[in-house]
Amino acid sequence: MDKKIYVTKPVLPPIEEFVEYLENVWETHDLTNFGTYTKQLMLELMDFFSEDYLIPMCNGHMALEMTLQAMELSGEVITTPYTFASTTHAIVRNGLNPVFCDVRESDCTIDVDKIEALITEKTSAIVPVHVYGIPCDIERIEAIAKKHNLKVIYDAAHAFGETVNGKSISSFGDASMFSFHATKAFNTIEGGCSVVRDIETLTRIYQLHNFGIMGEESVEFVGANAKMNEFQAIMGLCNLKHFEENRQKRKRLFGLYIESLKDVEGIRLLSYDDESVEYNYTYCPIFVDENKYGKTRNELYQVLKDRGIFARKYFYPITNEFACYKECGFSGNTPIAKKLSEQVLTLPLYSDLSEEDVVRITDIIKEI
Ligand SMILES: *Cc1c(COP(=O)(O)O)cnc(C)c1O
């Protein structure tokens, strides 16, 4: 059996760099509740993103849930089903109704031409996803939101460290959520953050993420516990120093995938060639057209698996087809998202994947 290769492998810093921080933790017993290193990570991330209002949290999902809660939305929220479970769950768990907008076949992001038809007097926000780190059509989303007085909260879980026209991707919309999960471009083991536009919203999220507690004897909001702990923050401080070097490694491997697969009949790659965008190269999704390729997506998935290569069907199924949502009657018709979900296979891509591994994977795809 060949060596097993998974779709991703979490980045770890050199162990000495992590251990160096522990001495101080053992001295202070400062483990959580917005401790020294969580504050330090917040400041470093504010600098990294060039943002003034940012708060680290226990994970990306809770960051999205708390951000939506802090925005005091009501009624309907327009979003896409071609995403991870978290996006739709965060909307529904806030008591809001998701209205599903289809995505563009070219890049899997929300199809801006189809947003306005879904707006009703109940719509309060749009939650688009920068899927695979491909920025949504930010300008047109902003214009639509302005015209209809809607909030825009980006699920930017895949877009850490990206820029559009030299500006941080966090700078668009009313808020953005980033995930620092182990499998993402930058990790704090589990973790995430919310970026917002003003101190009032940031303060509200801060309160919500600590049970809505305002003082020793006063609890004013129905919050939850979404605090980052000090070990997560330390992992973040270490990994942040290596983010750029890891990005460059992934970029090289991604280029190799493109080079090897671009002429394979029936295999489509997304184009990461918008000159105005600096990508983070965390995902390598391919779309299998069985009529041209001669094998289905599921057959290719199985062949790779039999050879020890665990590609993943990100994102399949689409969220509006989950068992928990099937009977809910949420509106929206999303044939393109469905088609993409049936064609997609996300190939292994991470900073210490070797070039030989990429060649091995692409050779299998080419030979069958
Ligand atoms: C990972 C992810 C999330 C959730 O982030 P966690 O840190 O795992 O909670 C949300 N949305 C998308 C698109 C994701 O990929």
Side-chain angles (χ1 to χ4, degrees), residues 96-285:
L96 302 161
N97 278 331
V99 171
F100 292 104
C101 184
D102 211 351
V103 297
R104 301 197 282 213
E105 184 151 13
S106 59
D107 68 4
C108 309
T109 66
I110 192 165
D111 187 340
V112 282
D113 291 328
K114 296 182 179 150
I115 295 177
E116 283 196 287
L118 298 171
I119 296 175
T120 70
E121 70 273 13
K122 292 193 200 128
T123 311
S124 60
I126 310 174
V127 177
V129 186
H130 300 306
V131 198
Y132 309 126
I134 296 177
C136 299
D137 193 337
I138 285 161
E139 272 177 36
R140 288 188 53 208
I141 291 170
E142 187 173 315
I144 293 168
K146 214 174 208 165
K147 182 170 156 201
H148 298 274
N149 194 25
L150 305 174
K151 296 267 194 251
V152 179
I153 299 99
Y154 283 106
D155 179 332
H158 296 178
F160 185 87
E162 298 195 330
T163 60
V164 180
N165 290 317
K167 285 178 74 183
S168 168
I169 196 150
S170 60
S171 66
F172 305 100
D174 295 286
S176 288
M177 173 279 283
F178 293 86
S179 167
F180 309 155
H181 183 259
T183 57
K184 300 296 203 299
F186 161 76
N187 87 77
T188 61
I189 310 170
E190 292 267 3
C193 79
S194 176
V195 175
V196 295
R197 301 284 157 248
D198 56 73
I199 191 69
E200 289 76 22
T201 312
L202 189 78
T203 307
R204 179 63 65 88
I205 295 172
Y206 176 83
Q207 291 155 349
L208 289 171
H209 103 306
N210 187 28
F211 305 100
I213 293 173
M214 302 290 282
E216 278 188 42
E217 299 183 5
S218 111
V219 179
E220 288 188 23
F221 306 105
V222 185
N225 180 1
K227 301 187 300 291
M228 177 173 272
N229 71 52
E230 291 288 274
F231 294 87
Q232 292 174 289
I234 290 170
M235 186 63 89
L237 291 168
C238 296
N239 278 337
L240 195 55
K241 295 190 181 71
H242 300 282
F243 173 73
E244 198 51 49
E245 102 203 25
N246 288 325
R247 184 211 312 252
Q248 294 309 327
K249 286 184 192 162
R250 288 191 303 266
K251 183 174 181 177
R252 216 185 53 239
L253 297 166
F254 184 81
L256 197 58
Y257 268 123
I258 298 268
E259 230 7 78
S260 316
L261 296 176
K262 67 180 189 322
D263 297 325
V264 181
E265 180 82 0
I267 298 288
R268 179 167 73 95
L269 291 119
L270 293 183
S271 56
Y272 285 81
D273 55 4
D274 183 338
E275 301 265 306
S276 66
V277 180
E278 188 174 15
Y279 300 99
N280 66 27
Y281 304 98
T282 314
Y283 302 92
C284 184

